[in-house]
């Protein structure tokens, strides 16, 4: 099972990126709570799967992209929400 966790993690993080992009471009319009829960859970699960997978290309790729997406999400959404909380963000 650990052989495929890297591929599963990579696929999951691609789905998280697609969900984020669809929300930013307003293709879909989930509620704020739903968006935050799905993004955070997707990033955590993808990071966990990539961390538990066998060493190799898929692990490095999935781990790197998971960390990058986690940082971008934190800076772009959570940090801006804290800064602009009173302005309806």
């Amino acid at each position: 099972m650990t052989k495929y966790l890297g591929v599963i993690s990579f696929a999951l993080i691609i789905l998280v990126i697609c969900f984020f992009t669809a929300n930013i471009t307003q293709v879909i319009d989930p509620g704020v709570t739903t968006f935050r829960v799905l993004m955070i859970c997707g990033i955590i699960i993808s990071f966990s799967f990539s961390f538990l997978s066998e060493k190799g290309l898929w692990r490095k790729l999935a781990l790197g992209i998971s960390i990058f997406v986690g940082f971008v999400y934190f800076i772009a959404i959570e940090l801006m929400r804290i800064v602009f909380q009173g302005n309806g963000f």
Side-chain angles (χ1 to χ4, degrees), residues 62-84:
L63 196 58
I65 293 174
S66 294
I67 291 171
F68 178 73
V69 170
F71 281 137
V72 168
Y73 171 76
F74 178 73
I75 291 170
I77 302 300
E78 295 299 326
L79 194 60
M80 291 299 122
R81 184 185 64 84
I82 292 169
V83 172
F84 299 113

Side-chain angles (χ1 to χ4, degrees), residues 25-84:
T25 58
Q26 296 179 349
V27 173
I28 58 173
D29 190 23
V32 175
T33 306
T34 306
F35 173 75
R36 289 180 67 210
V37 166
L38 288 176
M39 286 295 292
I40 291 170
C41 288
I43 292 169
I44 289 172
I45 292 170
S46 177
F47 180 77
S48 301
F49 280 2
S50 62
F51 187 74
L52 295 173
S53 67
E54 292 180 350
K55 291 182 180 179
L57 176 67
W58 287 110
R59 178 182 180 167
K60 291 177 186 175
L61 190 63
L63 196 58
I65 293 174
S66 294
I67 291 171
F68 178 73
V69 170
F71 281 137
V72 168
Y73 171 76
F74 178 73
I75 291 170
I77 302 300
E78 295 299 326
L79 194 60
M80 291 299 122
R81 184 185 64 84
I82 292 169
V83 172
F84 299 113

